[in-house]
Amino acid sequence: MTEKPKHPNYSLTKSREAVLFDEDTYMNPIPRAVIRPNSSILLDGEWKFALDNENRGLSENWFVNHNYTQNAHWPGSVEAHISQVSPGTNKYWHDQVIVWYERTFPLPKPVDTGRSGCNQLQLTFGACGYETRVWLNGIQLKTIEGEFVHIGEYTSFSYELDETILKPENRLTIRIMATMDADTTRGKQESAVYKRGGIWYQTYSGGVRSIWLETVEKNRLRSRVGVVSYVEDNLVRFNLTTRIHDPGVYKIRLNVYNRTQKDAEPIATDEFPLTLEAGQKQQRLVLEVPDAQVWSPENPHLYRLIAQLIDEDGYASEIEAHFGLRKIESRGSGIYLNNKKIYINGILYQPGMASYEQIKKHMHAMKKLGCNLVRIHIAGVDPRIYNLADKLGLLLWVEVPSPHRSNATSRSNHKAELLRMLALIGTHPSVIIWSLYNEDWGAQDIATSVETRSYIMDMYHYMQIAHPQFLVVDNDGWQHISFEGRLKSDILTAHLYTPDLERWKELLDGLVNGQQTGIAAFPLVVGDPFFFRKQVPLIVSEWGGFGFADYGGPADDSERTASITAFKKELHARPIAGDIYTQATNIEDEKNGLIDFETGELKVPEGLLGNPEE
């Protein structure tokens, strides 16, 4: 018998734990940033498990009946589960892997709203993939977006459960397929193109985040909130998404509170009448927040948004999110936060298989290092990271996990991944920079292909119009795109690696003097000629790496500290807008971390990566 999940109340009645979203009070068990005032039921725990190496499960109808002989713990990677059932396996899978999971759950006790038929059960995956199919009691489910096969493994997706197929005891079956296909968005996971070793890592696929059940209203706001603010006018622009089963006249009510506000009166409120058709619709609403405080690393002031969708009978569905007012600009050679010029003291971070508790330790340690920005390197991460950064006052630079090959299919996958991530990250003031590509992985023909450059330019222009709250980098590290002499990136970034201080000085001097070849591994700009005249900020977005095998440089942490101090001094002595040290923790073959992965303890002095005067 499958083990039932341990949860404080195996029902969907409201509970204090679910209503109060405050990490200072309790550990939020659900990997999401926008919440609902209801209780959720985690389906984490022991699941039945089976490998399907011969791809027989679909033809043999395993979703109807199958004799599972193994178990696995969800959440967990396919690779970990294979190693458990096949101890000593060095190569977890090759080319393709298919696995099945199954468990049962009792029908939860419904919320008593006094209105029959207004609610439904929703099943949500925090992240799973790369290809996921789901059956309930033998019937295949479609995601809210209408997918029988969900593609992707970095963001959440949900299913609305038809009450006609629910039973007192329900059987949930999941089929996951992952491949080495280089056209999929992989980040630094190995593929058919880049094999494991060095900077390429073990695949980490499957059910890597929690699954949960909750009751949601049939007519509701989805848990997707985008925020655009301009600090000069006290206006906040909210991008909300409605999900409607019953067409009609509705209104959206927005209430804004200070994050820690205890009284019932909001500091800002407004209502907006809408006539809504069945389906999903995005809507922008603008609300004035009088005497608004801005968010910054020095004062990470957050507001709490309660957004309600109210029907003609006065029944309201509700979501809650936290946000901050901030403005980020690339202005001339500087980066300005809330109209104040800042220097980016950043660090590259690859969480890998770290738990959320370990990630919290890492982020607190990065703050102690003097960092004001963390560059989360081409990976999808637990959404709670963004909430934590909002609270700590850590700026974030996020990146789309890259494919490993350049063609129409990989570009289509890349775009879909970007849009999925944007839908779920748009509310966080900490997120200030996005990279579309990194070091031309998945865009290897960027210097020669008009199609590749056109796609990247289109996405850059889309981000400028649809998401003006972010700075956007086209291809981080080198080979930025110039069109008619205009850079299609808000920042000119360079990856500069050398353990030699004199060579470091030469590289920095060449960069600030506008030299575009002989600086990084490839020319800094491709396409039309680009003439650097201090019209764009310069960021050395990777450097250091002291500890890479066969790289040279410091032999121990004491020497590393001295080298970092000397290298940082040269950065601060030049008209550069920021730098990103590589990297925060060790991961696989990359033994260059400044923070202990397990404990979060620093290996170097506090403040090492901050401004000289701090």
Side-chain angles (χ1 to χ4, degrees):
M1 178 67 109
T2 302
E3 180 183 319
K4 301 296 188 296
K6 297 177 176 61
H7 193 269
N9 52 328
Y10 203 85
S11 70
L12 291 175
T13 55
K14 292 185 180 181
S15 68
R16 179 175 176 82
E17 179 190 65
V19 174
L20 290 179
F21 185 57
D22 187 350
E23 284 190 306
D24 297 331
T25 305
Y26 85 107
M27 168 64 181
N28 173 30
I30 305 297
R32 62 178 175 187
V34 178
I35 65 165
R36 299 181 184 279
N38 58 13
S39 171
S40 56
I41 297 171
L42 280 170
L43 297 183
D44 296 352
E46 290 299 311
W47 286 61
K48 297 176 182 178
F49 172 76
L51 275 166
D52 188 8
N53 290 331
E54 298 177 2
N55 193 15
R56 296 186 291 112
L58 288 175
S59 61
E60 295 179 0
N61 297 328
W62 287 11
F63 50 87
V64 175
N65 183 48
H66 182 67
N67 180 29
Y68 291 87
T69 59
Q70 296 161 334
N71 293 315
H73 189 278
W74 193 299
S77 70
V78 166
E79 291 75 19
H81 295 159
I82 292 175
S83 69
Q84 290 165 9
V85 300
S86 302
T89 302
N90 293 321
K91 180 66 177 178
Y92 296 125
W93 56 274
H94 181 72
D95 294 333
Q96 175 179 286
V97 64
I98 300 173
V99 293
W100 292 71
Y101 297 84
E102 188 169 280
R103 66 155 294 158
T104 60
F105 64 90
L107 187 64
K109 180 181 177 181
V111 175
D112 183 11
T113 64
R115 286 166 51 99
S116 61
C118 68
N119 293 335
Q120 61 190 341
L121 273 179
Q122 179 170 285
L123 174 72
T124 298
F125 288 68
C128 184
Y130 197 75
E131 296 184 12
T132 306
R133 306 184 195 212
V134 180
W135 292 262
L136 179 64
N137 299 324
I139 298 174
Q140 189 169 6
L141 303 179
K142 287 195 298 185
T143 66
I144 292 177
E145 284 69 34
E147 310 161 310
F148 278 117
V149 182
H150 174 75
I151 303 297
E153 64 180 1
Y154 302 105
T155 54
S156 63
F157 54 99
S158 299
Y159 300 85
E160 297 172 337
L161 304 186
D162 186 342
E163 61 184 13
T164 63
I165 65 174
L166 287 164
K167 300 178 180 180
E169 189 78 7
N170 297 276
R171 180 170 50 88
L172 188 62
T173 310
I174 302 168
R175 177 187 186 268
I176 300 170
M177 182 175 78
T179 72
M180 291 289 175
D181 183 1
D183 294 336
T184 61
T185 51
R186 314 189 62 81
K188 293 183 76 171
Q189 299 181 63
E190 69 170 314
S191 70
V193 171
Y194 299 125
K195 295 302 182 181
R196 186 183 181 188
I199 66 168
W200 303 106
Y201 305 151
Q202 168 67 49
T203 55
Y204 183 61
S205 51
V208 295
R209 288 189 211 142
S210 293
I211 306 178
W212 63 94
L213 281 169
E214 62 185 323
T215 293
V216 298
E217 295 81 5
K218 290 184 176 179
N219 306 301
R220 65 192 183 279
L221 296 169
R222 294 203 67 187
S223 55
R224 301 176 173 190
V225 181
V227 176
V228 180
S229 61
Y230 301 101
V231 298
E232 293 86 358
D233 59 11
N234 288 340
L235 296 178
V236 186
R237 293 122 179 112
F238 295 102
N239 297 323
L240 301 172
T241 301
T242 57
R243 172 69 174 167
I244 301 297
H245 285 263
D246 304 308
V249 177
Y250 294 83
K251 62 182 176 182
I252 295 179
R253 178 184 296 145
L254 302 181
N255 288 327
V256 170
Y257 307 80
N258 285 305
R259 182 179 181 274
T260 57
Q261 187 176 338
K262 303 300 181 184
D263 58 82
E265 290 300 316
I267 61 174
T269 185
D270 207 343
E271 292 185 352
F272 307 84
L274 293 169
T275 300
L276 297 173
E277 302 295 329
Q280 188 162 293
K281 180 182 186 296
Q282 292 186 341
Q283 179 68 47
R284 172 167 287 196
L285 303 172
V286 181
L287 182 66
E288 182 177 8
V289 178
D291 302 317
Q293 293 190 51
V294 297
W295 182 98
S296 69
E298 298 76 24
N299 178 36
H301 183 85
L302 291 171
Y303 291 95
R304 182 164 56 99
L305 169 70
I306 303 293
Q308 296 176 319
L309 180 69
I310 305 170
D311 66 18
E312 292 179 280
D313 297 326
Y315 183 76
S317 69
E318 182 175 301
I319 58 173
E320 176 179 338
H322 295 108
F323 70 94
L325 279 71
R326 66 105 179 100
K327 174 184 175 185
I328 192 73
E329 282 184 291
S330 168
R331 191 192 305 168
S333 61
I335 292 177
Y336 290 78
L337 179 64
N338 305 326
N339 296 317
K340 179 182 177 182
K341 192 172 184 179
I342 63 169
Y343 185 91
I344 298 296
N345 287 300
I347 192 167
L348 189 80
Y349 182 43
Q350 306 188 80
M353 300 182 188
S355 68
Y356 179 61
E357 280 301 314
Q358 288 173 320
I359 290 171
K360 286 176 67 176
K361 293 177 182 177
H362 299 164
M363 293 187 73
H364 281 279
M366 288 184 271
K367 185 91 172 178
K368 289 180 182 178
L369 277 171
C371 298
N372 60 6
L373 180 140
V374 176
R375 180 179 163 214
I376 302 174
H377 194 34
I378 53 174
V381 294
D382 190 313
R384 290 172 292 187
I385 291 180
Y386 308 117
N387 278 344
L388 181 59
D390 292 343
K391 289 174 58 182
L392 291 177
L394 268 175
L395 302 168
L396 295 180
W397 180 335
V398 300
E399 304 172 327
V400 185
S402 59
H404 290 177
R405 190 160 47 204
S406 182
N407 54 43
T409 300
S410 73
R411 290 190 287 272
S412 177
N413 289 334
H414 179 275
K415 181 178 180 179
E417 198 69 69
L418 169 64
L419 296 179
R420 284 192 292 264
M421 292 177 70
L422 283 167
L424 298 170
I425 301 177
T427 184
H428 300 284
S430 56
V431 179
I432 63 166
I433 302 173
W434 282 73
S435 285
L436 299 177
Y437 284 90
N438 176 77
E439 294 184 349
D440 61 61
W441 301 339
Q444 294 92 332
D445 55 357
I446 190 171
T448 58
S449 170
V450 173
E451 290 82 5
T452 296
R453 292 200 298 273
S454 294
Y455 166 71
I456 296 174
M457 287 192 291
D458 287 346
M459 290 300 97
Y460 172 71
H461 293 149
Y462 166 78
M463 293 286 286
Q464 283 188 314
I465 295 169
H467 298 278
Q469 70 269 39
F470 305 124
L471 300 180
V472 180
V473 177
D474 55 350
N475 177 48
D476 185 51
W478 50 67
Q479 299 197 121
H480 299 278
I481 298 170
S482 173
F483 181 75
E484 297 180 348
R486 289 176 289 178
L487 200 67
K488 296 303 176 179
S489 180
D490 294 324
I491 307 167
L492 183 59
T493 65
H495 294 177
L496 308 182
Y497 283 111
T498 176
D500 181 75
L501 183 59
E502 294 305 312
R503 176 58 177 159
W504 178 244
K505 295 176 184 178
E506 293 175 5
L507 291 175
L508 294 182
D509 287 339
L511 179 66
V512 300
N513 289 329
Q515 184 179 333
Q516 294 176 26
T517 58
I519 300 296
F522 290 91
L524 290 184
V525 180
V526 297
D528 294 331
F530 173 76
F531 302 96
F532 176 72
R533 296 295 186 270
K534 301 181 180 179
Q535 73 271 38
V536 63
L538 300 173
I539 288 185
V540 180
S541 52
E542 288 187 27
W543 70 276
F546 301 141
F548 277 130
D550 304 321
Y551 177 61
D556 55 34
D557 290 333
S558 176
E559 288 188 14
R560 184 182 303 186
T561 298
S563 291
I564 291 174
T565 301
F567 277 51
K568 285 285 285 190
K569 180 179 178 181
E570 298 301 327
L571 283 161
H572 287 294
R574 290 167 174 80
I576 292 172
D579 68 86
I580 312 293
Y581 182 81
T582 305
Q583 62 183 338
T585 64
N586 293 344
I587 180 168
E588 298 204 15
D589 293 342
E590 295 190 43
K591 309 298 184 184
N592 54 350
L594 305 183
I595 301 165
D596 184 271
F597 184 89
E598 296 296 334
T599 67
E601 295 296 320
L602 296 182
K603 302 177 183 179
V604 294
E606 291 188 14
L608 181 64
L609 296 181
N611 290 328
E613 64 273 12
E614 293 179 346

